[in-house]
Structure formats: structure tokens, C-alpha cells
Amino acid sequence: MATNLTGRDIISIKELSKNEILSVLKNAKQLKKEPQPQLLKNKVMASCFFEPSTRTRLSFESAMQHLGGSVVGFADPGVTSTKKGETLFDSIKIIGQYADVIAMRHPIEGAARRASEATDKPILNGGDGANQHPTQTLLDLFTIQECQKKLEGLDVALVGDLKYGRTTHSLAQALVHFGARLYFVAPDSLQMPNYICEELKERKIKFSFHQKIEEVVNKVDILYMTRIQGERFADQMEYEKIKNIFILKGKKLLKARPNLRVLHPLPRVGEIDTDVDKTKHAYYFEQAENGLYARQALLAMVLGKMN
Amino acid sequence: MKNEKEIRAFKVFAIKKGTVIDHIPAGQALKIIQVLKLFNNEKIVTTGQNFPSKTLGKKDIIKVEDRELTPEEANRVAILAPTATINIIRNFELAKKFHVTIPDMVEKLIICPNPKCITNNELMSTIFYTKNNNTEVKLQCRYCEKTFSQNDIQYRV
């Protein structure tokens, strides 16, 4: 299963093969168990966040520091030449001369791909608008594997805004490699887009559409919650009517499988009641922590220090 | 009174030499003229629209005098008109006839319809990958990764 991600850009989850994904997860597991504080000594990561982020930015920066590397960068484009009108291409070309690897987030879709054309240094996409967020998917897969002790043949429900949510799109696309049975729980207007469903059909992945969490909660191993944003609804009355249907409360989990784990990319804004936190099913805080190990693994791999 | 054959001949008169682009889906001829910049040269360009067609129902035709389209130019037409045939005419005779082939990648020609795509926010070229499933051509933006059908897109002229 030898893979080599040295020098590779990580921009879209679809560009990673099953073997490459499994290698990242294997390395993440190893780094969680045995930290390597000298592995990236004398390496510099540029952390370029053109859009606000808490978990992604801090876990990238912390991951680099845990491996002995150092970090330069910014968390607000207002302090950079972008404000003076510099193109993304020029900014990244210059930053690539100062750093060995670039982790970035940008509000515009395709920004990470564009950045990869400006420099030979690996670009790690920490989110480009509504398009891709591959490191989130890798940490999701790592978490699923960790809490279920396997990745193959799981029953997975994706809940919330499935139309606009990039994390659910990428996760569905990645789970194709592992023969998951997928349940999509969303209001009709926010259901999984057709192009994703077509891809799943081509790969013979079974999926079904649902309106309520109760319809699927007792059938699944993973309940992946996401936030429904009120601003997506043209009719606010419609939003008020449906928003409570997609709130997970502890009592909805009473008849769940014992191994069911609830995940959420966070931040949550009310869609998981805090009474779920105390149940054995809650795993979203561990999931957030795992971002640290998945990102360490990627940094080590694109910089040629792990296979 | 002229018979029907003569009237038809008048509608799409023969050219001595040049290129006839035939079997263009109705409504696409003017776009093709723009994309190939046929209005820029000083050659005569004739276009006919909404001719009856057995295979397409209705079709458009373009005739360009004194200019032979290269296969590269012809393939730029393919995105707009996958059914088009290119006829090279020399001395009123058909010298060469070929079908357009859809290229795997289309550079610069298309504007991404996604306003949030980087290509609409920074001065740069676009690149689209084509997916052809016999009936229609789908185009995927290299940058924002969204897929569009041919009717959704606009062309950079």
C-alpha cells in the first residue's frame, strides 16, 4: 500500500485514491499514538487565512508546531497586500518563496487550485468558499474509523443542509470508496444535489432521502449532523417551521445502536442539544481534536517525511 | 415561377471555395460566428437559420468564403455544436468533410457561470473539462469544480 504524497497539493478529496486516503489515516493514527516533535524541524508552514476560521487555522498551526516546524502567516487578509489589490496568484507566488508548505482558506471557489498554479510548494486547501474542504473529510474519515474500528460497509446518515454543505458533499464522495449505505436527512429544498447522487449511483452506492432524524437514527452507525442556516430560506416562516425537526436531542437516541456515534464539523448553533454531550454517542469533540492528527499526517506526507 | 429546388438553391447558394459548417443545432450559428471571430476577417460569411433537418428537426448553416477552417478551429465549434459537420469546398466541389470532435479540455473560450468562481474574481483564463454523454456536452470548471450544461454557459468573445 505504498503511497507517496511528497510535493502534492491537497485541493479536492476526489483527487485522493482509496490507498492514499488510507495512508493518511494510518499516519494520523500513528502520530496520535506516538508524537514526532522533531519530524518537521526547520520546515516553515505559511498559514494563509483569507477568511475567518477557528478550528481549521488553529489545528493546522498547532499540527505544524507539534511536528517541530514553524508557522508564519495571517488570519485576516486586511493586513496583507490583498487589501492593496494584489492578485491571489502574486500573493501565493511570493509566499511560496518564504515557506515550504502553504495551508490556506479563501472565500472564493477555486482559489486553492489557482494558488497551486502560482507555486511549486504544496497547497493544503482549508476550504475554498462552498467548494472543497478535503482536510475536514480526512479528519472525518479518521474519526469514523477510530470510533467504529472500521470504515467498510457502514450505515451513515448525513443530516441538515445537504445542498450547500461542502463537508457533507466531500464526505459522501469519499465514502464511495468504502461501500457505505447513506441516508440523507434534509428538508426537500436542501437535499443532496443531483450531481452527487449521480456519482453515487454510478458507483452503486445505496442511498435514500428522509425528512426526519427519527426515520434513520436506529438504523445507522454514524449520524453526521450539520447546521441549517436560516439565511438559506427565502421564506423565514418556512425556516421557523422546519428548524426544530433537525435538532438532535438526547431522547431521540434512546433506541439507537450502541455503537452509534454523532459527529458534527462544528461550530454547532443549537442543532445538537447539549444533553447529547453526556451520552456515549457524542463524538464531535474528539472529532475536532482529530483534526490535529489528520493535518499532522498531511503535513508530514506532502513534505516527504512519511509515506 | 421557380420550382422548389431552385428556390432552395437560392436560399443556400453554393460557394466557390471556403468552408460550410452544416448541421449546427438551431440557434447556435451566430454564437459560432462570434467565437470563431468570422466577422473580423473581410471574407463573405453567409448564415442561414432554422432550416428543416431530418436528424435535428431544425438546423443552422454557416458558409465562409475563401477560408478553410483548421481542425483546431473546428473543434472550438464542437462545444456549441457537437453535431456539426465541416465541409471544405474547393472549386465548387466538396474536397474534405469531417465531423467535429469535442476536445477533452477547453481553454479561454468559456466564462464560468458561477459568480463566486476565482476565474470571475481575478484576471485569468478559464479551463473547462468536457464530459460527453452522447446527447449533451457537460463542462466542468477546473477551478470551482462545478459542472454546467452547454446551455448555461457564455463565451468569451
Side-chain angles (χ1 to χ4, degrees):
Chain A
M1 203 181 72
T3 53
N4 189 353
L5 291 187
T6 307
R8 278 268 293 274
D9 302 307
I10 308 295
I11 293 180
S12 177
I13 194 72
K14 287 205 287 186
E15 292 169 342
L16 291 176
S17 69
K18 181 176 179 176
N19 273 347
E20 287 166 344
I21 290 173
L22 288 172
S23 295
V24 175
L25 305 192
K26 182 196 73 179
N27 289 332
K29 189 177 175 184
Q30 197 185 325
L31 287 162
K32 188 171 184 176
K33 212 165 93 189
E34 288 174 46
Q36 297 261 3
Q38 299 292 317
L39 194 64
L40 297 184
K41 203 179 166 193
N42 299 325
K43 296 285 183 189
V44 177
M45 180 186 86
S47 168
C48 303
F49 280 72
F50 295 87
E51 188 183 55
S53 155
T54 314
R55 271 160 300 278
T56 305
R57 180 171 67 82
L58 292 181
S59 76
F60 259 122
E61 294 180 0
S62 175
M64 190 64 182
Q65 287 170 0
H66 272 91
L67 295 174
S70 51
V71 177
V72 294
F74 54 88
D76 171 6
V79 301
T80 69
S81 299
T82 305
K83 188 115 196 246
K84 298 177 194 159
E86 186 173 57
T87 61
L88 175 69
F89 188 91
D90 283 1
S91 299
I92 297 294
K93 193 175 176 69
I94 307 302
I95 293 165
Q97 291 165 342
Y98 303 152
D100 302 295
V101 57
I102 299 172
M104 66 177 281
R105 169 173 288 186
H106 198 286
I108 300 292
E109 295 164 28
R113 179 80 60 203
R114 180 60 173 161
S116 73
E117 293 169 348
T119 178
D120 292 335
K121 305 293 169 59
I123 298 282
L124 304 180
N125 183 8
D128 58 331
N131 184 29
Q132 286 280 331
H133 192 1
T135 64
Q136 176 72 44
T137 308
L138 290 164
L139 81 88
D140 290 343
L141 291 171
F142 177 50
T143 306
I144 293 172
Q145 188 186 49
E146 180 181 77
C147 67
Q148 300 295 331
K149 310 287 180 247
K150 63 173 186 173
L151 269 178
E152 298 284 343
L154 292 169
D155 299 321
V156 179
L158 305 177
V159 183
D161 179 355
L162 305 184
K163 184 172 181 185
Y164 298 101
R166 62 187 172 196
T167 55
T168 50
H169 298 172
S170 303
L171 185 57
Q173 287 169 327
L175 285 170
V176 159
H177 293 301
F178 304 101
R181 163 69 164 95
L182 299 174
Y183 297 85
F184 300 142
V185 187
D188 282 342
S189 56
L190 295 178
Q191 260 300 358
M192 192 56 92
N194 263 341
Y195 75 92
I196 304 268
C197 296
E198 289 297 321
E199 283 178 33
L200 298 175
K201 271 187 217 163
E202 278 171 31
R203 301 288 297 268
K204 301 202 170 19
I205 294 294
K206 278 191 184 166
F207 59 91
S208 50
F209 302 105
H210 302 271
Q211 301 270 341
K212 287 182 177 171
I213 296 172
E214 288 88 329
E215 291 173 25
V216 305
V217 70
N218 300 340
K219 299 178 185 168
V220 296
D221 306 304
I222 295 290
L223 191 63
Y224 193 98
M225 301 289 298
T226 60
R227 184 159 76 97
I228 291 187
Q229 292 167 284
E231 56 269 29
R232 298 285 189 210
F233 287 80
D235 181 353
Q236 280 304 305
M237 293 224 322
E238 180 67 15
Y239 171 63
E240 291 300 323
K241 218 161 49 182
I242 62 110
K243 70 174 187 188
N244 288 334
I245 299 173
F246 296 91
I247 291 178
L248 182 66
K249 295 190 171 157
K251 63 181 183 193
K252 288 187 185 173
L253 295 167
L254 289 175
K255 289 185 179 170
R257 292 178 184 172
N259 66 313
L260 170 91
R261 291 295 175 268
V262 179
L263 303 185
H264 191 303
L266 304 181
R268 66 171 159 178
V269 188
E271 59 277 13
I272 301 179
D273 199 289
T274 49
D275 71 356
V276 178
D277 296 0
K278 298 178 212 94
T279 70
K280 64 180 176 188
H281 302 294
Y283 212 73
Y284 25 89
F285 296 121
E286 288 86 343
Q287 178 188 7
E289 184 199 338
N290 280 339
L292 196 54
Y293 309 110
R295 292 184 175 113
Q296 280 184 45
L298 273 178
L299 285 164
M301 291 171 83
V302 299
L303 289 172
K305 298 292 181 184
M306 284 181 117
N307 283 325
Chain B
M1 190 168 162
K2 287 179 179 177
N3 66 33
E4 192 157 322
K5 203 173 172 189
E6 280 171 315
I7 293 171
R8 172 137 178 108
F10 181 71
K11 276 185 192 163
V12 278
F13 59 86
I15 58 173
K16 186 177 180 190
K17 61 175 179 159
T19 308
V20 176
I21 311 173
D22 199 357
H23 300 107
I24 302 167
Q28 302 288 23
L30 293 179
K31 281 189 201 165
I32 290 175
I33 288 172
Q34 281 192 314
V35 165
L36 294 180
K37 295 187 167 58
L38 297 178
F39 51 81
N40 280 358
N41 63 33
E42 290 173 3
K43 315 293 182 195
I44 294 172
V45 178
T46 327
T47 173
Q49 286 164 312
N50 295 330
F51 288 103
S53 158
K54 277 181 197 152
T55 48
L56 299 173
K58 283 180 175 180
K59 67 172 184 179
D60 292 354
I61 296 175
I62 300 170
K63 298 190 173 200
V64 192
E65 294 188 34
D66 298 320
R67 180 172 161 191
E68 293 188 6
L69 284 192
T70 62
E72 290 75 32
E73 285 177 308
N75 289 344
R76 285 168 74 87
V77 171
I79 301 299
L80 287 157
T83 51
T85 52
I86 309 290
N87 303 276
I88 305 294
I89 310 293
R90 290 172 196 151
N91 201 21
F92 292 108
E93 302 262 318
L94 180 64
K96 232 190 307 182
K97 177 172 183 163
F98 53 93
H99 289 274
V100 294
T101 41
I102 293 166
D104 295 336
M105 197 170 89
V106 183
E107 278 185 84
K108 297 178 187 170
L109 181 62
I110 298 166
I111 298 168
C112 184
N114 175 9
K116 287 187 179 163
C117 177
I118 186 80
T119 58
N120 291 315
N121 289 272
E122 187 149 318
L123 197 59
M124 60 184 284
S125 300
T126 60
I127 297 175
F128 279 79
Y129 302 112
T130 59
K131 294 180 198 168
N132 187 8
N133 66 356
N134 295 326
T135 49
E136 71 168 336
V137 184
K138 295 260 188 191
L139 296 141
Q140 185 177 33
C141 175
R142 166 177 163 81
Y143 296 93
C144 72
E145 304 186 24
K146 299 235 172 341
T147 301
F148 303 97
S149 72
Q150 193 245 340
N151 292 330
D152 298 331
I153 54 176
Q154 287 189 315
Y155 297 86
R156 235 170 226 175
V157 184

